Coordinates of all heavy atoms in Angstrom, one line a residue:
V1 N 104.9 37.8 64.5 CA 105.8 38.5 65.4 C 107.2 38.3 64.9 O 107.7 37.2 64.5 CB 105.7 37.8 66.8 CG1 106.7 38.4 67.8 CG2 104.3 37.9 67.4
T2 N 107.9 39.5 64.8 CA 109.3 39.4 64.2 C 110.2 40.4 64.9 O 109.7 41.6 65.2 CB 109.2 39.6 62.7 OG1 110.5 39.5 62.2 CG2 108.7 41.0 62.3
P3 N 111.4 40.1 65.1 CA 112.4 41.2 65.6 C 112.6 42.1 64.4 O 112.7 41.7 63.3 CB 113.7 40.4 65.9 CG 113.4 39.0 65.7 CD 112.1 38.8 65.0
W4 N 112.8 43.4 64.8 CA 113.0 44.4 63.7 C 114.3 44.1 62.9 O 114.4 44.4 61.7 CB 113.0 45.8 64.2 CG 114.2 46.2 65.1 CD1 114.3 46.4 66.4 CD2 115.5 46.6 64.6 NE1 115.5 46.8 66.8 CE2 116.3 47.0 65.8 CE3 116.1 46.7 63.4 CZ2 117.6 47.4 65.7 CZ3 117.5 47.2 63.3 CH2 118.2 47.5 64.5
Q5 N 115.3 43.4 63.6 CA 116.5 43.1 62.9 C 116.4 42.1 61.8 O 117.2 42.1 60.9 CB 117.5 42.4 63.9 CG 118.0 43.4 65.0 CD 117.0 43.5 66.2 OE1 115.9 43.0 66.2 NE2 117.5 44.1 67.3
F6 N 115.3 41.4 61.7 CA 115.0 40.5 60.6 C 113.8 40.9 59.8 O 113.3 40.1 58.9 CB 114.8 39.1 61.1 CG 116.0 38.5 61.8 CD1 116.0 38.1 63.1 CD2 117.2 38.5 61.2 CE1 117.1 37.6 63.8 CE2 118.4 38.0 61.8 CZ 118.3 37.5 63.1
A7 N 113.2 42.0 60.0 CA 111.9 42.5 59.4 C 112.4 43.3 58.1 O 113.4 44.0 58.2 CB 111.1 43.3 60.3
D8 N 111.5 43.4 57.2 CA 111.7 44.3 56.0 C 111.0 45.6 56.5 O 109.8 45.8 56.2 CB 111.0 43.7 54.8 CG 111.3 44.5 53.5 OD1 111.7 45.7 53.7 OD2 111.0 44.0 52.4
L9 N 111.8 46.4 57.1 CA 111.2 47.6 57.7 C 110.6 48.6 56.6 O 109.6 49.2 56.9 CB 112.3 48.4 58.6 CG 112.9 47.6 59.7 CD1 113.9 48.4 60.4 CD2 111.7 47.2 60.7
K10 N 111.3 48.7 55.5 CA 110.8 49.6 54.5 C 109.5 49.1 54.0 O 108.6 49.9 53.8 CB 111.8 49.6 53.3 CG 111.5 50.6 52.2 CD 112.5 50.7 51.2 CE 112.1 51.6 50.1 NZ 113.1 51.7 49.0
A11 N 109.3 47.8 53.8 CA 108.0 47.2 53.3 C 106.9 47.4 54.3 O 105.7 47.6 54.0 CB 108.1 45.8 53.0
L12 N 107.3 47.5 55.6 CA 106.3 47.7 56.7 C 106.0 49.2 56.9 O 105.1 49.5 57.6 CB 106.8 47.0 58.0 CG 106.9 45.5 58.0 CD1 107.6 45.0 59.3 CD2 105.5 44.9 57.9
G13 N 106.8 50.0 56.3 CA 106.6 51.5 56.4 C 107.1 52.1 57.8 O 106.5 53.0 58.2
I14 N 108.1 51.4 58.3 CA 108.7 52.0 59.5 C 110.2 52.2 59.4 O 110.8 51.5 58.5 CB 108.4 51.1 60.8 CG1 108.8 49.6 60.5 CG2 106.9 51.1 61.1 CD1 108.6 48.7 61.7
T15 N 110.8 53.1 60.1 CA 112.2 53.3 60.1 C 112.9 52.5 61.2 O 112.2 52.1 62.2 CB 112.5 54.8 60.3 OG1 112.0 55.2 61.7 CG2 111.8 55.7 59.3
Q16 N 114.2 52.3 61.0 CA 115.0 51.6 62.0 C 115.0 52.4 63.3 O 114.9 51.8 64.4 CB 116.4 51.4 61.5 CG 117.2 50.6 62.6 CD 118.6 50.3 62.1 OE1 118.9 50.1 60.9 NE2 119.6 50.3 63.0
E17 N 115.1 53.7 63.2 CA 115.1 54.5 64.4 C 113.8 54.3 65.2 O 113.9 54.2 66.5 CB 115.2 56.0 64.0 CG 116.5 56.4 63.4 CD 116.6 56.1 61.9 OE1 115.6 55.8 61.3 OE2 117.7 56.1 61.4
R18 N 112.7 54.3 64.6 CA 111.5 54.0 65.4 C 111.4 52.6 65.9 O 111.0 52.4 67.1 CB 110.2 54.3 64.5 CG 108.9 54.2 65.3 CD 107.7 54.8 64.7 NE 106.6 54.7 65.6 CZ 105.4 54.8 65.3 NH1 105.1 55.0 64.0 NH2 104.4 54.8 66.2
A19 N 111.8 51.6 65.1 CA 111.8 50.2 65.6 C 112.8 50.0 66.8 O 112.5 49.2 67.6 CB 112.3 49.3 64.4
E20 N 113.9 50.8 66.8 CA 114.8 50.7 68.0 C 114.2 51.4 69.2 O 114.5 51.0 70.3 CB 116.1 51.5 67.7 CG 117.0 50.7 66.7 CD 118.3 51.5 66.4 OE1 118.4 52.7 66.9 OE2 119.0 51.1 65.6
H21 N 113.2 52.2 69.1 CA 112.7 53.1 70.1 C 111.5 52.4 70.9 O 111.3 52.6 72.0 CB 112.2 54.4 69.5 CG 111.6 55.3 70.5 ND1 112.3 56.0 71.5 CD2 110.4 55.8 70.7 CE1 111.6 56.7 72.2 NE2 110.3 56.6 71.7
E22 N 110.7 51.6 70.2 CA 109.5 51.0 70.7 C 109.0 49.8 69.9 O 109.3 49.6 68.8 CB 108.4 52.1 70.8 CG 108.0 52.6 69.4 CD 107.0 53.8 69.5 OE1 106.4 54.1 70.6 OE2 106.8 54.4 68.4
V23 N 108.1 49.0 70.6 CA 107.5 47.9 70.0 C 106.5 48.5 69.0 O 105.9 49.6 69.3 CB 106.8 46.9 71.0 CG1 105.7 47.6 71.8 CG2 106.3 45.7 70.3
L24 N 106.3 47.9 67.9 CA 105.4 48.4 66.8 C 104.4 47.4 66.4 O 104.7 46.2 66.2 CB 106.2 48.9 65.6 CG 107.2 50.1 65.9 CD1 108.1 50.2 64.8 CD2 106.5 51.3 66.3
W25 N 103.2 47.8 66.1 CA 102.1 47.0 65.6 C 101.8 47.6 64.2 O 101.4 48.8 64.1 CB 100.9 47.1 66.5 CG 99.7 46.3 66.0 CD1 98.7 46.8 65.2 CD2 99.4 45.0 66.3 NE1 97.8 45.8 64.9 CE2 98.2 44.6 65.6 CE3 100.0 44.0 67.1 CZ2 97.6 43.4 65.7 CZ3 99.4 42.7 67.2 CH2 98.2 42.4 66.5
V26 N 101.9 46.8 63.2 CA 101.6 47.2 61.8 C 100.3 46.5 61.4 O 100.3 45.3 61.3 CB 102.8 47.0 60.8 CG1 102.5 47.5 59.4 CG2 104.1 47.6 61.4
S27 N 99.3 47.3 61.1 CA 98.0 46.7 60.7 C 98.0 46.2 59.2 O 99.0 46.6 58.5 CB 96.9 47.7 60.9 OG 96.9 48.6 59.8
P28 N 97.1 45.4 58.8 CA 97.1 44.9 57.4 C 97.0 46.1 56.4 O 97.4 45.9 55.3 CB 95.8 44.0 57.4 CG 95.7 43.5 58.8 CD 96.1 44.7 59.7
V29 N 96.5 47.2 56.8 CA 96.4 48.4 55.9 C 97.6 49.3 56.0 O 97.6 50.4 55.3 CB 95.1 49.2 56.0 CG1 93.9 48.3 55.6 CG2 94.9 49.7 57.4
G30 N 98.5 49.0 56.8 CA 99.8 49.7 57.0 C 99.8 50.8 58.1 O 100.7 51.5 58.2
A31 N 98.7 50.9 58.9 CA 98.7 51.8 60.0 C 99.8 51.3 61.1 O 99.8 50.1 61.3 CB 97.4 51.9 60.7
V32 N 100.6 52.2 61.6 CA 101.6 51.8 62.6 C 101.3 52.4 63.9 O 101.0 53.6 64.1 CB 103.0 52.3 62.1 CG1 104.0 51.8 63.1 CG2 103.3 51.7 60.7
H33 N 101.2 51.5 64.9 CA 101.0 51.9 66.3 C 102.2 51.5 67.1 O 102.7 50.4 67.0 CB 99.7 51.3 66.9 CG 98.5 51.5 66.0 ND1 97.7 52.6 66.2 CD2 98.0 50.8 65.0 CE1 96.7 52.5 65.3 NE2 96.9 51.4 64.6
G34 N 102.7 52.4 68.0 CA 103.8 52.1 68.8 C 103.6 52.2 70.3 O 102.6 52.7 70.8
G35 N 104.6 51.5 71.0 CA 104.5 51.5 72.5 C 103.3 50.9 73.0 O 102.9 49.8 72.7
A36 N 102.7 51.6 74.0 CA 101.5 51.1 74.7 C 100.4 50.8 73.8 O 99.6 49.9 73.9 CB 101.1 52.0 75.8

């Protein structure tokens, strides 16, 4: 669990805009799920 402010967003494959918009779950294979 990490705040986006301290995460390596690029390495996780997510943008700051998306991280500001919703909670995100990044799977071990890089799939990103947001919100609910």
